[in-house]
Amino acid sequence: MLVFFISITAVADEHAEESGRVDIVWPASPQEPKIRYIRSIATSDDMATEKGFFGKLLEFIIGPDDVVDLVKPMGLAVNSAGKLFVADPAGKRIHIFDIVGQDYSSIEEVNDKLFVLPIGVSVDDQDNLYVVDGGLRKIFKFNRDGKFITAFGDESLQRPTGIAIDSKKKLLYVVDTPAHNVKVYSLESGAMVATLGERGTEDGTFNFPSYAAIDAKGALYITDGMNKKVRVFGADREYQRAVGKPGDGSGSFSAPKGVAVDSDGNLYVADVAFDNVQIFDAEGRLLMAFGSPGQAPGKFWMPTGLFIDKSDRIYVADSYNKRIQIFQYLGAEKR
């Protein structure tokens, strides 16, 4: 088990900043860094390669190419090829940033019907993409090439938000915020096979849940927004425990949103009121936090969605700064 030190202070290397690259890490020196800032993505132009002289001259003459901006990024997912999918409900589209191939595309409609409130995304082990539209009250499935396959959901869905996929058990978990529950669908048949929770404050209940994540062992994590906790269910959907509590101190939540789990089983929770991400160990003990209010690299303005890929890169939807910030968990490198 790695030992963390609680800290929300970042350190920027002065020489790196002078050279144009800011090295920002948490916790502060002399403690061993566990989180490093990598980069931010805010527009489609961030995927463009550096233009040469003639490219810049052509842009000066005819003007820049159309640039697509993030408006209010929320749900996040990354597939096995390194493509970053960003649900942007205010922009009414799914942004696709091909970080490896340095390309950008988007999905704005399904079957000639425009998205209304695309708020959540997830990918399965075949790189199929699932899009939650809270306005259309559906979950849409696309293949890895962006072709529509099928839709999940019926009239029982009130306003779906968060989504998580258990590829091993072929299950789709959909958080239905105003219904105060999580609906479980079979990926094979599309039928709803179970419902988790109801409105309440007791163990296993919810009060306006929002985001969801599944770890490598199949455990399910649900952000219980108004109860200001993260509810944890086992691989067999039995309730296990709660992480966090209401409050304004370390280890507490004011407005928890996105959740994600790294390769060591540590739980990450974004809080839009604290403008940070808190990290807890597998037993729910606070390890550290990173981020603080602001617009500079490594700072947040209402962070929402979270995603951690197989290389322990941490993607944070920095919603009101209209960008995605990417960090690296360094703990796995020490094993």
Side-chain angles (χ1 to χ4, degrees), residues 29-50:
S29 179
Q31 300 175 52
E32 182 179 3
K34 304 297 181 183
I35 303 293
R36 170 170 281 117
Y37 169 82
I38 299 177
R39 66 174 294 188
S40 293
I41 296 174
T43 76
S44 57
D45 207 38
D46 289 330
M47 293 296 98
T49 56
E50 180 66 24

Side-chain angles (χ1 to χ4, degrees), residues 13 63 85 102 142 145-146 158 166 186 203 223 241 265 277 283 289:
D13 185 290
F85 300 91
Q102 290 290 290
F142 301 82
D145 298 318
Q158 295 184 30
D166 187 336
S186 165
D203 289 350
T223 303
R241 64 185 182 279
V277 176
E283 283 71 47

Side-chain angles (χ1 to χ4, degrees), residues 110-125:
V110 55
N111 281 352
D112 298 324
K113 191 170 187 177
L114 294 174
F115 287 136
V116 176
L117 193 69
I119 194 168
V121 285
S122 188
V123 293
D124 64 19
D125 58 356

Side-chain angles (χ1 to χ4, degrees), residues 49-65:
T49 56
E50 180 66 24
K51 297 181 177 68
F53 171 78
F54 290 105
K56 292 179 180 178
L57 179 62
L58 182 63
E59 182 178 272
F60 176 77
I61 295 172
I62 66 174
D65 296 333

Side-chain angles (χ1 to χ4, degrees), residues 225-228 245-249 252-256 271-274 278:
M226 295 302 290
N227 284 328
K228 304 182 190 302
K245 58 184 179 180
D248 57 6
S252 301
F253 299 127
S254 179
D271 196 304
V272 298
F274 294 160
Q278 297 187 77

Side-chain angles (χ1 to χ4, degrees), residues 92 108 110 113-120 130-140 157-161:
K92 299 185 183 302
E108 301 173 44
V110 55
K113 191 170 187 177
L114 294 174
F115 287 136
V116 176
L117 193 69
I119 194 168
Y130 299 75
V131 177
V132 179
D133 192 307
L136 296 176
R137 297 163 62 185
K138 292 283 186 180
I139 299 88
F140 301 102
L157 274 177
Q158 295 184 30
R159 185 168 61 82
T161 50

